[in-house]
Amino acid sequence: MSVDDALRISTAIISIILALSVPIVISKALKNREKPNGQSKGIGWQFIRYTTIATSLPIIALLALNNAFTGEVCAVLAGILGYAFGKADEKRIEGSEE
């Protein structure tokens, strides 16, 4: 087995692991939001921010590993992260006006 074959196989394995990590992160995060009585908590901005980071990093790595990380993809991901982290909390805005 040559080095090229080993790299091709390892790239495929890493890609599969990264692709599977996204739904795992989302399902674990939603499972974490459940209360002991079976009800679930609301989804706040902190949850959205952490979920955005936790899902975008494997996607970025997957695209970069497969040479598919283009300018358009970078712009979309930057926009998503900018919106998630640029959004002000409503509580802070309401509290500062009083």
Side-chain angles (χ1 to χ4, degrees):
M1 179 186 278
S2 69
V3 174
D4 290 336
D5 292 336
L7 286 175
R8 200 170 307 129
I9 291 170
S10 66
T11 301
I13 292 171
I14 293 170
S15 296
I16 291 169
I17 291 169
L18 287 171
L20 291 175
S21 69
V22 173
I24 290 171
V25 165
I26 293 172
S27 64
K28 292 282 188 181
L30 290 174
K31 182 72 175 165
N32 189 27
R33 303 296 295 173
E34 290 182 6
K35 293 181 181 177
N37 59 4
Q39 296 177 344
S40 62
K41 300 177 190 175
I43 297 177
W45 278 108
Q46 183 177 5
F47 175 79
I48 292 170
R49 288 178 181 130
Y50 287 125
T51 306
T52 302
I53 285 290
T55 56
S56 66
L57 291 178
I59 292 171
I60 291 169
L62 182 64
L63 292 171
L65 186 65
N66 293 309
N67 294 326
F69 195 66
T70 62
E72 294 87 4
V73 174
C74 181
V76 169
L77 289 172
I80 291 168
L81 291 172
Y83 178 76
F85 284 92
K87 177 76 174 157
D89 289 333
E90 286 82 13
K91 292 178 184 176
R92 290 183 189 166
I93 293 172
E94 291 172 4
S96 64
E97 292 176 358
E98 294 177 357

